């Protein structure tokens, strides 16, 4: 049974518009060398990502094995926020996010053809953009670079290993010596964390480029659409599919800050600046692809207002002539033979409410909360919980 339910209306609508064109299908978590490796190991299959099972397996590899290897000093390992954040929470969240992301993005891309939002002449170009995105998703070079990033994390971590992290290094007469648990973390856990993080980030970049390509096509938008976004409001909520991914990344960053706070005091102002800066980074990541639709929406609003405004003028002048026998301003006998019977006042007012910004607070509230939650835990170690909660509330209301 598939992890993602079929969405047959999308295929039917697209077939009506462009019978010979392929349907749009974007599976964000399929494909690529790492996917193929997991498939050969029977960790997943084409009809099911088995995200829960894989999350347990990879979290055990990254977090549980070092815990077992640090049996001589497990308290130090369990007391390190970095091991919990990177090896357990983040690794598990990145794997679990795969199914959530794939389901969310798949439904969003199918919405383009189920309406349909893409004009008939542009559908082949849309299908070509999807095919190109799938090639980028499956890139061997991209995953090699992701792995290189994970290895680089380990190299940096190795240069900073000290006896202070007694589970990772022990003091000997010759100096600091990396423990067995430390070596596992350097060789397996950190590279796995870095690889999964950058791989997820790369695949979001592919999705972002796809959206920017679609924004350049002929879109069947409506200025008076009740969603206030020309019919694209559904797309503005796509960042929430990345809630678990953001939670994992935020946990790793918050753990690093928590380690720093363990040795230094921090003011509420500084904490607010740090957390606010991270929230801006997260939202900017999702605002980048959505911003491509601002231009067509702004153009739609401008043209619609002009058209509805002109029609409203003709209608109101007609009503004025019927009431007064003539027009107060610039009376003309020519207009008397070209009366308009359509009152576009409501359409004009609806178009005035059209927003060219797809991303907004209400659309991304869950992902914003996921970005801030780990910082609430980190901040509570040094600041009163009420102050931390007040900071987070203010940031969520912005």
């Amino acid at each position: 049974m598939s992890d993602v339910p079929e969405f047959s209306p999308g295929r039917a609508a697209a077939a009506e518009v462009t019978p010979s064109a392929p349907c749009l299908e974007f599976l964000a978590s399929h494909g690529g060398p790492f996917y193929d490796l997991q498939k050969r190991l029977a960790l997943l299959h084409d009809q099911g990502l088995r995200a829960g099972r894989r999350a347990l397996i990879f979290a055990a590899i990254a977090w549980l094995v070092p815990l077992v290897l640090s049996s001589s000093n497990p308290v130090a390992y369990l007391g390190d926020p970095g091991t919990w954040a990177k090896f357990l929470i983040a690794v598990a969240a990145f794997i679990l996010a795969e199914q959530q992301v794939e389901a969310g993005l798949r439904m969003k891309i199918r919405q383009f053809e189920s309406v349909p939002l893409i004009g008939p002449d542009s559908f082949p170009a849309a299908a070509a953009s999807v095919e190109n995105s799938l090639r980028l998703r499956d890139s061997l070079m991209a995953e090699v670079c992701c792995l290189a990033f994970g290895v680089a994390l380990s190299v940096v971590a190795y240069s900073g290993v000290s006896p202070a992290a007694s589970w990772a290094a022990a003091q000997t007469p010759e100096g600091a010596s990396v423990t067995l648990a430390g070596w596992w973390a350097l060789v397996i856990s950190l590279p796995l964390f870095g690889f999964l993080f950058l791989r997820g980030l790369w695949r979001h970049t592919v999705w972002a480029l796809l959206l920017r390509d679609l924004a350049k096509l002929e879109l069947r938008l409506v200025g008076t659409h009740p969603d206030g976004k020309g019919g694209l409001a559904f797309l503005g909520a796509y960042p929430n599919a990345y809630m678990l991914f953001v939670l994992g990344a935020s946990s790793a960053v918050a753990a690093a800050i928590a380690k720093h706070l363990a040795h230094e005091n921090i003011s509420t102002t500084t904490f607010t600046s740090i957390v606010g800066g991270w929230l801006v980074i997260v939202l900017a990541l999702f605002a980048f692809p959505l911003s491509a639709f601002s231009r067509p929406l702004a153009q739609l609003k401008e043209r619609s207002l002009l058209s509805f405004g002109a029609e409203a003028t003709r209608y109101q002048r007609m009503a004025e002539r019927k009431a007064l026998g003539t027009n107060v301003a610039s009376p003309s006998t020519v207009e008397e033979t070209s009366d308009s019977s359509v009152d576009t006042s409501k359409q004009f007012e609806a178009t005035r409410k059209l927003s060219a910004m797809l991303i907004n607070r209400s659309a991304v509230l869950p992902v914003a909360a996921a970005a801030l939650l780990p910082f609430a835990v980190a901040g509570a170690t040094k600041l009163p919980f009420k102050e931390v909660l007040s900071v987070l509330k203010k940031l969520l209301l912005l």
Side-chain angles (χ1 to χ4, degrees):
M1 184 175 181
S2 174
D3 287 307
V4 183
E6 289 296 323
F7 191 72
S8 55
R11 295 184 179 274
E16 291 177 9
V17 177
T18 52
S20 61
C23 291
L24 305 182
E25 183 77 289
F26 184 81
L27 300 178
S29 301
H30 279 61
F34 185 59
Y35 175 88
D36 292 338
L37 174 62
Q38 294 178 88
K39 188 177 175 182
R40 284 195 293 271
L41 294 174
L43 296 178
L44 49 71
H45 51 76
D46 289 337
Q47 288 72 41
L49 293 173
R50 296 179 177 175
R53 175 188 174 189
R54 290 189 299 118
L56 288 175
I57 292 173
F58 284 112
I61 292 172
W63 182 81
L64 187 58
V65 173
L67 174 61
V68 174
L69 295 177
S70 63
S71 56
S72 60
N73 194 7
V75 175
Y77 182 84
L78 293 173
D80 188 339
T83 61
W84 287 91
K86 292 193 288 285
F87 302 159
L88 180 61
I89 298 175
V91 167
F94 293 157
I95 296 295
L96 290 172
E98 290 182 3
Q99 186 161 320
Q100 186 181 30
V101 168
E102 181 161 289
L105 302 193
R106 188 183 192 187
M107 295 301 291
K108 295 296 183 287
I109 199 69
R110 285 191 170 186
Q111 186 77 0
F112 275 92
E113 62 174 332
S114 68
V115 173
L117 281 172
I118 299 174
D121 294 337
S122 293
F123 196 87
S129 294
V130 172
E131 287 299 318
N132 182 60
S133 297
L134 294 177
R135 284 193 293 271
L136 290 175
R137 180 202 67 181
D138 299 343
S139 169
L140 171 62
M141 182 58 66
E143 295 207 352
V144 168
C145 291
C146 294
L147 182 59
F149 173 78
V151 173
L153 279 181
S154 290
V155 172
V156 172
Y158 177 77
S159 63
V161 170
S162 70
S166 54
W167 69 268
Q171 186 65 51
T172 66
E174 293 78 18
S177 174
V178 180
T179 65
L180 198 57
W183 279 118
W184 184 275
L186 290 171
V187 176
I188 303 295
S189 302
L190 266 176
L192 179 61
F193 160 78
F195 171 76
L196 291 176
F197 167 70
L198 205 62
R199 181 174 179 264
L201 202 59
W202 163 250
R203 293 191 171 215
H204 175 264
T205 301
V206 171
W207 165 255
L209 295 176
L210 172 58
L211 287 187
R212 296 188 73 85
D213 282 345
L214 295 180
K216 298 174 185 177
L217 303 178
E218 178 191 2
L219 300 177
R220 297 155 56 98
L221 305 179
V222 183
T224 57
H225 198 285
D227 70 4
K229 308 287 184 181
L232 290 173
F234 73 94
L235 193 60
Y238 98 81
N240 292 325
Y242 283 87
M243 186 172 61
L244 287 175
F245 183 84
V246 169
L247 177 65
S250 298
S251 296
V253 176
I257 293 175
K259 278 190 174 182
H260 182 74
L261 294 180
H263 306 289
E264 294 185 19
N265 291 323
I266 185 174
S267 66
T268 303
T269 303
T270 303
F271 178 74
T272 303
S273 300
I274 294 172
V275 179
W278 174 249
L279 184 60
V280 168
I281 292 172
V282 170
L283 295 183
L285 178 70
F286 300 116
F288 169 68
L290 294 177
S291 65
F293 293 92
S294 294
R295 183 176 180 181
L297 284 172
Q299 292 174 342
L300 172 68
K301 182 174 184 178
E302 181 181 5
R303 293 197 301 266
S304 297
L305 285 176
L306 286 174
S307 298
F308 286 129
E311 185 62 29
T313 298
R314 286 191 290 269
Y315 179 85
Q316 294 301 330
R317 285 180 64 83
M318 177 202 70
E320 186 179 69
R321 287 193 302 275
K322 287 184 177 180
L324 303 178
T326 186
N327 290 118
V328 176
S330 184
S332 172
T333 57
V334 177
E335 287 182 306
E336 295 177 5
T337 61
S338 59
D339 287 346
S340 173
S341 60
V342 180
D343 183 3
T344 60
S345 301
K346 292 182 179 180
Q347 290 90 334
F348 184 84
E349 287 302 318
T351 304
R352 286 182 61 185
K353 298 176 182 178
L354 174 66
S355 172
M357 297 295 294
L358 289 183
I359 193 167
N360 56 64
R361 182 178 61 84
S362 60
V364 297
L365 191 59
V367 76
L372 297 179
L373 180 61
F375 289 91
V377 178
T381 61
K382 280 292 182 179
L383 295 171
F385 182 73
K386 287 185 177 180
E387 290 186 20
V388 173
L389 191 59
S390 176
V391 168
L392 299 185
K393 282 183 178 180
K394 289 177 181 178
L395 290 173
L396 286 174
L397 289 173
L398 290 178

